[in-house]
Amino acid sequence: MTTEYGLKRHFNGDAARLIGGKIREVHPDFDVEEYAAEVERRIPGKELKDRVLVLAEGLRSRLPEDYPESVKILLAILGDELAEGEGMFNVSWYLMPVARFVEEYGLDHPEVSLDALVEITKRHTAEYAIRPFIEQHHELTMTRMVDWARDPSHNVRRMASEGVRPRLPWARTLTVFVRDPQPVLDILEPLRSDPSEYVRKSVANNLNDISKDSPDLALATALRWSQESPTPETTWIVRHALRTLVKKGNQEALAIVGVTGGEHLRVPSMGLHPRTLALGESTMIRLDVENTDSRRHTVTVDYVVHHVRKNGQRIPKVFKLTTLDLAPGERRTVEKSHPVREVSTRRYYAGEHLVDIQVNGQVLATDRFDLRL
């Protein structure tokens, strides 16, 4: 029997029994075992999102034909709102098909559906389900989301941000906001110093999304927020939101997050050991960073591995190393072990891999290791 991994393994007949059992408590005609049997029959070979759709389709065929009545039944099984720090994927993961139900079948009833998504997001998330409503009922949905950004519930405020992320992972790209992210920024404005870490992470990720397509607008927003809202919460959001631009060495982004002295920094020594590796082994990166200025500077140090691809070309990947506060004339040694092991998003190929040391966005040293498979 094949062992399954990841979140998808949970969406099977047992998940159907869990959901169906809760539904039967408020809707006694629901056939739990028939639902579970259908799910078990249809999920083999399917990945996460398709499995969730199977569960949602099974609900649609067994709940009342009248959509508002079906939604009323589903809302009755949601349970208590998640507290700060309670994860939607470990506490209420089984509600994913409920959100998918609204996403798939609720577009003809936008008012009912948007009300339902507010309640669902308090117990799980609606960041994926809201996106077709943004596309097909744009004005209504955006008006709601502006209000949600000021909601007393941190879960609803977070959905106001997460739902409009232009490039939300696992979701369709919202091209309307790739072209013009200003409506997204209007929603983020009251959240720029939110007391909830859950919300702040979403705001930072959203502004980081925007920085990939509209870097000048993201930089102007980050600078304004830093000046108008000098709180620890805003400072954290801005630093996290500019991470992509910082990794690219954007000097304006570096200045906003307080990194200085680029022209006064050097890496007098840098090396890798060992320089010949097999897959699964690690190489130690060792370097010295020196501040040659007569003033103290805060510097960020990254390293870039140029991974060899199947066609022999190299693709760079930036890894965070450290941030240093260097006194005038100070020289500091930094070490980092870099493992060379395959992950789900990267496959290794044999050949010479370059490693750059990037200080304040500038490449100041390079070495290489040879990977043999």
Side-chain angles (χ1 to χ4, degrees):
M1 182 177 180
T2 302
T3 301
E4 293 185 332
Y5 298 93
L7 187 60
K8 76 171 187 179
R9 73 185 190 278
H10 297 294
F11 291 96
N12 53 22
D14 289 338
R17 291 183 185 91
L18 174 60
I19 299 168
K22 292 178 179 293
I23 292 175
R24 190 163 57 186
E25 292 178 8
V26 296
H27 184 61
D29 292 339
F30 193 89
D31 192 328
V32 177
E33 286 305 318
E34 183 190 41
Y35 178 42
E38 179 189 337
V39 169
E40 288 286 12
R41 185 175 67 253
R42 295 184 58 198
I43 63 168
K46 289 182 168 59
E47 296 300 321
L48 172 63
K49 293 179 72 173
D50 288 335
R51 288 187 177 207
V52 172
L53 179 59
V54 166
L55 283 148
E57 289 172 344
L59 294 175
R60 175 69 282 187
S61 65
R62 290 171 176 81
L63 289 173
E65 184 175 346
D66 181 70
Y67 173 79
E69 186 179 351
S70 294
V71 168
K72 185 177 180 180
I73 292 169
L74 292 174
L75 294 182
I77 75 168
L78 295 182
D80 297 331
E81 179 171 357
L82 294 176
E84 179 82 30
E86 287 188 308
M88 61 184 176
F89 289 131
N90 53 28
V91 174
S92 56
W93 58 270
Y94 62 91
L95 293 177
M96 194 177 287
V98 176
R100 187 67 181 269
F101 182 95
V102 176
E103 177 182 355
E104 294 292 330
Y105 307 113
L107 283 170
D108 291 336
H109 302 269
E111 296 279 2
V112 172
S113 296
L114 292 174
D115 288 343
L117 291 179
V118 168
E119 297 307 315
I120 291 169
T121 207
K122 291 178 181 179
R123 284 87 175 175
H124 178 61
T125 183
E127 66 203 62
Y128 308 112
I130 194 68
R131 295 171 89 81
F133 291 89
I134 292 173
E135 293 176 336
Q136 298 194 33
H137 301 285
H138 186 79
E139 185 174 347
L140 171 64
T141 306
M142 293 301 290
T143 299
R144 291 284 194 98
M145 297 189 89
V146 168
D147 293 337
W148 293 342
R150 294 169 171 81
D151 196 272
S153 167
H154 68 282
N155 291 307
V156 177
R157 297 197 307 275
R158 189 258 185 184
M159 205 256 284
S161 169
E162 198 74 1
V164 293
R165 280 184 60 182
R167 297 187 178 277
L168 179 67
W170 296 6
R172 67 180 81 184
T173 297
L174 292 176
T175 55
V176 63
F177 297 143
V178 171
R179 293 192 299 266
D180 177 17
Q182 188 57 55
V184 177
L185 293 174
D186 293 341
I187 289 175
L188 299 186
E189 196 67 32
L191 304 175
R192 66 187 186 183
S193 187
D194 199 273
S196 166
E197 181 182 7
Y198 191 44
V199 177
R200 293 196 300 272
K201 286 182 178 179
S202 176
V203 174
N205 287 335
N206 200 326
L207 190 56
N208 184 58
D209 278 3
I210 292 171
S211 78
K212 298 172 183 178
D213 299 297
S214 303
D216 291 342
L217 182 58
L219 286 165
T221 301
L223 179 60
R224 180 173 59 81
W225 284 3
S226 297
Q227 295 170 339
E228 295 178 354
S229 179
T231 67
E233 291 81 8
T234 301
T235 298
W236 186 92
I237 287 174
V238 166
R239 181 174 292 274
H240 196 60
L242 296 181
R243 64 189 185 273
T244 295
L245 293 177
V246 166
K247 286 181 178 180
K248 290 181 176 180
N250 184 288
Q251 295 302 303
E252 188 175 350
L254 288 162
I256 291 172
V257 301
V259 171
T260 60
E263 68 275 20
H264 301 290
L265 303 171
R266 69 188 195 101
V267 176
S269 67
M270 178 259 183
L272 307 178
H273 181 77
R275 296 178 65 182
T276 300
L277 301 174
L279 192 63
E281 296 180 340
S282 298
T283 185
M284 179 64 70
I285 305 170
R286 188 179 190 277
L287 62 132
D288 289 342
V289 182
E290 183 178 8
N291 174 18
T292 64
D293 197 13
S294 59
R295 295 173 296 167
R296 179 180 296 272
H297 290 293
T298 299
V299 305
T300 182
V301 185
D302 303 322
Y303 66 100
V304 186
V305 179
H306 296 262
H307 296 102
V308 176
R309 308 312 301 150
K310 188 175 183 179
N311 61 7
Q313 295 181 344
R314 295 188 180 97
I315 302 296
K317 166 67 176 175
V318 181
F319 296 88
K320 296 301 294 180
L321 191 51
T322 188
T323 298
L324 301 175
D325 189 29
L326 296 178
E330 182 179 3
R331 179 170 172 166
R332 193 88 61 87
T333 298
V334 177
E335 291 184 336
K336 172 67 183 293
S337 177
H338 177 77
V340 181
R341 60 171 179 265
E342 289 192 353
V343 294
S344 59
T345 56
R346 185 184 313 120
R347 183 174 180 182
Y348 282 93
Y349 296 90
E352 186 179 69
H353 291 60
L354 304 182
V355 179
D356 294 333
I357 300 302
Q358 188 170 280
V359 183
N360 286 14
Q362 303 175 77
V363 175
L364 298 184
T366 300
D367 202 350
R368 60 206 70 221
F369 66 85
D370 187 45
L371 179 62
R372 298 179 179 177
L373 301 182

